[in-house]
Amino acid sequence: MIKAFRNSCAGMAHLIRHEAAFRSEMILFVVAIPAAWYLADSLATFIWLLGSLLVIMIVELLNTGIEQVCNALTREYRDEIRIAKDCGSAAVLLATLLAGAVWLVTLYTVFAD
């Protein structure tokens, strides 16, 4: 368990050092904590708001893993690798749209009254 935890921390550290998108998502998450606390009318809403942002970060971790495996296989253009990378990118997009919807619905609920 300790080794797995260290490996997980190493993966997070790599993304923080080398992936601007992940750094931006981390900053957004930290800024969102007080915003979610203010907007949430319940613990469940607070968890949904922050959880939706964590989903983006999780998908970004997986997307980077896919990209690194593809890059390790070959740097030459291959249609299959382009598709794998595009699918990873699309997964990040869908996670972002989901988080956006969660936040927009919450904002509407709070400020529509």
Side-chain angles (χ1 to χ4, degrees):
M1 292 281 280
I2 292 171
K3 186 175 180 180
F5 179 77
R6 286 182 183 155
N7 291 341
S8 298
C9 289
M12 293 276 290
H14 174 83
L15 261 73
I16 291 168
R17 282 192 309 273
H18 300 287
E19 295 290 330
F22 191 77
R23 280 192 303 274
S24 297
E25 293 157 2
M26 287 285 291
I27 292 167
L28 176 64
F29 183 78
V30 170
V31 169
I33 293 170
W37 185 258
Y38 172 77
L39 293 171
D41 61 351
S42 68
L43 180 60
T45 302
F46 181 73
I47 297 297
W48 278 113
L49 289 168
L50 294 182
S52 68
L53 299 177
L54 283 175
V55 168
I56 297 171
M57 295 166 64
I58 292 165
V59 175
E60 189 72 57
L61 283 160
L62 295 171
N63 181 44
T64 300
I66 290 167
E67 288 178 351
Q68 292 300 313
V69 168
C70 290
N71 291 341
L73 292 174
T74 183
R75 292 291 186 153
E76 294 177 20
Y77 177 82
R78 294 192 55 177
D79 214 34
E80 299 87 356
I81 289 177
R82 179 193 58 78
I83 292 168
K85 288 182 173 186
D86 288 351
C87 287
S89 181
V92 173
L93 173 64
L94 290 177
T96 302
L97 292 173
L98 172 65
V102 169
W103 279 80
L104 285 173
V105 166
T106 303
L107 286 167
Y108 177 79
T109 302
V110 169
F111 294 112
D113 292 335

